[in-house]
Amino acid sequence: MANGKIVLALAIMAAAGCENNGEGESAAPAAGAPLSSAPAESLKGHSNELRRDVVKVTDTVAVAIGFGLGNSILVEGETCAFVVDTTESREIAQEILAEFDQLTDLPIEAIVYTHNHADHVFGAEIFANGRDIGIYAHETTAAEVNKAVNIIRPILSQRSARMFGTYLDAGDNGFINAGLGPGLGVTGPNGGSIGYLPPTKTFANRLETEICGRAVVLQHAPGETDDQIYVFLPDEKVLMPGDNIYKAFPNLYTIRGTSYRDIVKWAQSLDAMRRVGAEYLVPSHTRPISGRGEINDVLTAYADGIRFVHDQTVRGMNKGMDPGALVEFVQLPPHLKDHPYLQEHYGTVRWSARSIYDGYLGWFNGDGAALNPPGRAERAEAMAKIAREQTTLIDAAADALAADRFALAAELATLALDAGGDETRARALKADALSAMGYQSVSPNGRNYLLTQARELRGEVKIEELPDERSIAFTRAAPIANFMASLPVNLNAEEALEVERKAEFRFTDTGDVFTVEIRRGVAIVTPAPADEPDLVVETTSLVWIDLLLGRRRAAPAIATGAIKFPGGLGDIAAFGNFMKLFRAE
Ligand SMILES: [Zn+2]
């Protein structure tokens, strides 16, 4: 795949008459060249997905795509019609309303917001047209709109303008599209005006109601935002998932800035949507799809993509990887990487891995050198000096340490370690720098952290990674459901990439039953019996925990009847192979 891309890039560059200096992307492009690179071609191909169109999905449901960043969906009822999502400006909504007027004579008597984002709520006034109509949303949506509009608007709009390219054009500026739509129509020089209306009909978890004489299910489905809902029309089996799925890799983190998005819930919401058995899927970005089988496949791949990135990031994190290491470690397996709905035309795997790290552990990457790093001016001055005097990183670190510039010394020694070379000297320098910073720290947290890491660098201590007796006792005392929920982040994905297997676990001491499904690199645990299991295991929760923690061996447990395979679904080999996938290697 990677090689194919390089070949394609070279072919395109050759066709464009570009000279390649052998340094790939670092070559200075001629004017206009960025528009004919391999990434540009890929993104241009994606523009077709975003083309302006009004698609009749069923007799009563139509979706306007490509007018703005967001779609707007028209649903006709008995006596009136309603709109799901309103796009990001009054001007865009006006153009869509003109199209909807061609499709129906029914008045629009309600609006549903799938979530709080600008590209879904800012066009509302146009559809309401001055009338007091019902506006449905999750009960937290109004507060989220307030946060974006009033609390962090200055920085959010600046970064949104960059991210959506509202100051670019399709000429030499290199603009192609905005991933989820042809462009964002609310910031930048050509941005439209805001016509937001606050929700009037809100709910917490689920609302089964009638709108315009039609049965409508509104279900809270946290994902891309915490307030996300899906809309389901049970009579025609039309599912409107909001932004929990679109044809691009999910924006598990957005670079315009966002609070942590709980992506485990996002995957669970996709599972819940799969269970409704939709015949039509009409997202709020990109084009609708139909057919239960295809919808099922797309929702499954999307959930698996999210789970893979989450679980493997946490697994790497637990091994001690920092964000820089994680972006190298977490790579989608080929069947997900090549899936049409997981192309990085919006979110990316790398930003997601960083965000997951940050969501669990916050900004500190775990290296004491990054705790109180040198200021930007001090760092820049040091780099300039190294270049000017043609010294080495390690000598510069020694100089900084001798000058009592400990933060700088720690950072330069870290760089020297990363660059290879005299590792012993670099470790010693870093240890001394961290110790010195530790002794200066009035915070015991910082002091202890730095002094301990210095001892680790000197080889004086090694912090035990395996669980000790106390944590094992804690694990054994907690509900088995907690332990089962931790299995996915312990899955050895490399070993499980070709595995598709379903195991049912019955715990005779607690009465709990779980299904653990392994699906090509991801594990899904559900607290229910398995549908057509490959393996059924009956044991006690304590035996199972001890087995996975390596405190007990399977063969004697099976021989003594502590582990049974009811119905003959399983044997020691199948059980061993299954268990091995979750063992720390
Ligand atoms: Zn959106």
Side-chain angles (χ1 to χ4, degrees):
M1 184 70 194
N3 284 339
K5 276 184 179 163
I6 291 165
V7 170
L8 180 64
L10 292 176
I12 289 163
M13 290 178 81
C18 298
E19 281 189 359
N20 186 288
N21 67 358
E23 291 186 297
E25 291 181 350
S26 65
L35 285 173
S36 57
S37 66
E41 291 306 315
S42 169
L43 192 50
K44 278 183 199 171
H46 181 61
S47 290
N48 189 46
E49 182 69 27
L50 314 172
R51 67 185 185 274
R52 184 180 276 230
D53 209 350
V54 178
V55 178
K56 279 281 276 180
V57 180
T58 69
D59 285 347
T60 59
V61 177
V63 54
I65 306 156
F67 289 76
L69 190 76
N71 296 344
S72 214
I73 305 162
L74 174 74
V75 182
E76 293 175 73
E78 301 289 326
T79 51
C80 58
F82 63 96
V83 165
V84 177
D85 287 343
T86 66
T87 78
E88 65 268 30
S89 77
R90 301 169 82 254
E91 289 76 3
I92 292 166
Q94 193 70 61
E95 288 185 56
I96 293 173
L97 181 61
E99 296 284 340
F100 286 171
D101 281 344
Q102 306 284 314
L103 297 177
T104 184
D105 294 328
L106 296 171
I108 291 170
E109 293 290 353
I111 288 171
V112 181
Y113 295 147
T114 58
H115 62 293
N116 69 83
H117 282 162
D119 52 320
H120 302 261
V121 303
F122 280 178
E125 264 180 27
I126 296 302
F127 296 107
N129 197 20
R131 290 163 307 130
D132 186 14
I133 68 173
I135 300 187
Y136 294 80
H138 188 255
E139 64 182 11
T140 61
T141 296
E144 290 297 321
V145 172
N146 174 55
K147 185 167 127 188
V149 171
N150 292 317
I151 308 292
I152 54 170
R153 182 183 51 201
I155 187 64
L156 209 53
S157 43
Q158 187 187 66
R159 288 170 59 150
S160 293
R162 290 193 190 114
M163 166 175 150
F164 290 112
T166 51
Y167 286 82
L168 301 176
D169 58 49
D172 288 345
N173 282 323
F175 182 80
I176 298 172
N177 62 55
L180 294 189
L184 178 70
V186 75
T187 57
N190 304 316
S193 58
I194 294 172
Y196 168 68
L197 294 172
T200 57
K201 294 177 185 291
T202 64
F203 65 98
N205 181 48
R206 187 177 174 91
L207 181 64
E208 294 182 17
T209 186
E210 275 198 0
I211 306 178
C212 298
R214 283 196 74 157
V216 178
V217 177
L218 305 179
Q219 172 66 48
H220 185 214
E224 198 229 29
T225 57
D226 287 345
D227 69 331
Q228 199 91 200
I229 65 168
Y230 72 67
V231 183
F232 185 58
L233 307 176
D235 51 353
E236 282 185 307
K237 301 208 180 318
V238 178
L239 175 64
M240 291 164 258
D243 280 8
N244 276 343
I245 187 162
Y246 35 68
K247 196 172 180 182
F249 189 83
N251 220 20
L252 304 183
Y253 172 75
T254 184
I255 59 172
R256 68 177 178 273
T258 178
S259 313
Y260 181 60
R261 297 174 168 184
D262 188 336
I263 62 175
V264 174
K265 285 190 186 153
W266 193 337
Q268 288 166 349
S269 291
L270 288 160
D271 292 345
M273 287 194 274
R274 205 166 55 221
R275 287 193 292 269
V276 306
E279 294 288 349
Y280 305 91
L281 183 76
V282 191
S284 289
H285 297 279
T286 70
R287 308 179 74 77
I289 56 174
S290 59
R292 194 177 288 206
E294 187 177 351
I295 291 167
N296 191 59
D297 287 351
V298 165
L299 290 172
T300 303
Y302 220 63
D304 285 357
I306 292 173
R307 284 200 166 98
F308 185 92
V309 172
H310 173 270
D311 296 347
Q312 294 307 308
T313 299
V314 174
R315 176 170 165 242
M317 208 169 79
N318 280 333
K319 288 171 186 273
M321 292 182 193
D322 70 6
L326 284 169
V327 298
E328 306 284 329
F329 175 68
V330 180
Q331 304 281 340
L332 283 182
H335 74 286
L336 295 174
K337 193 178 172 64
D338 295 341
H339 195 281
Y341 271 72
L342 294 172
Q343 300 305 298
E344 293 182 329
H345 291 136
Y346 199 54
T348 80
V349 175
R350 294 168 73 91
W351 302 336
S352 304
R354 287 183 184 280
S355 171
I356 294 160
Y357 184 95
D358 198 57
Y360 281 97
L361 299 179
W363 62 266
F364 178 42
N365 70 3
D367 182 2
L371 213 42
N372 295 300
R376 290 167 66 152
E378 186 181 14
R379 178 185 293 121
E381 182 207 316
M383 294 299 162
K385 187 161 179 277
I386 290 168
R388 198 167 54 240
E389 298 177 359
Q390 297 194 6
T391 181
T392 60
L393 287 164
I394 198 161
D395 284 342
D399 289 348
L401 188 64
D404 290 350
R405 293 166 75 170
F406 305 122
L408 183 62
E411 185 165 299
L412 292 172
T414 304
L415 285 172
L417 277 168
D418 288 346
D422 189 347
E423 192 183 333
T424 310
R425 186 177 168 220
R427 287 173 82 91
L429 281 169
K430 183 168 177 176
D432 289 349
L434 295 185
S435 287
M437 283 196 285
Y439 292 131
Q440 286 181 340
S441 177
V442 69
S443 158
N445 303 331
R447 184 182 182 93
N448 299 337
Y449 200 104
L450 290 159
L451 294 178
T452 304
Q453 198 185 338
R455 294 199 71 195
E456 290 176 88
L457 282 164
R458 293 188 190 107
E460 294 168 0
V461 288
K462 187 168 181 346
I463 295 175
E464 214 45 65
E465 285 165 18
L466 292 171
D468 63 13
E469 290 299 327
R470 283 156 297 189
S471 61
I472 289 168
F474 180 80
T475 304
R476 289 171 61 122
I480 184 66
N482 297 2
F483 186 75
M484 297 304 283
S486 75
L487 289 181
V489 301
N490 290 302
L491 179 71
N492 185 333
E494 303 86 89
E495 295 292 322
L497 283 188
E498 301 303 325
V499 179
E500 292 193 71
R501 206 168 298 155
K502 219 183 274 180
E504 179 177 304
F505 287 84
R506 302 176 186 166
F507 296 111
T508 51
D509 54 335
T510 65
D512 290 303
V513 181
F514 294 90
T515 297
V516 181
E517 181 175 5
I518 297 176
R519 197 162 57 212
R520 304 182 73 183
V522 295
I524 299 109
V525 177
T526 38
D531 176 28
E532 297 183 33
D534 304 297
L535 173 70
V536 177
V537 181
E538 190 176 282
T539 184
T540 67
S541 59
L542 295 185
V543 168
W544 171 238
I545 288 171
D546 283 354
L547 274 172
L548 278 188
L549 294 180
R551 293 164 54 84
R552 188 193 267 259
R553 290 185 23 246
I558 292 167
T560 59
I563 297 173
K564 294 187 186 125
F565 304 110
L569 282 171
D571 55 28
I572 185 162
F575 181 63
N577 285 336
F578 193 87
M579 231 176 50
K580 207 169 62 186
L581 297 171
F582 295 99
R583 276 246 181 89
E585 64 273 33

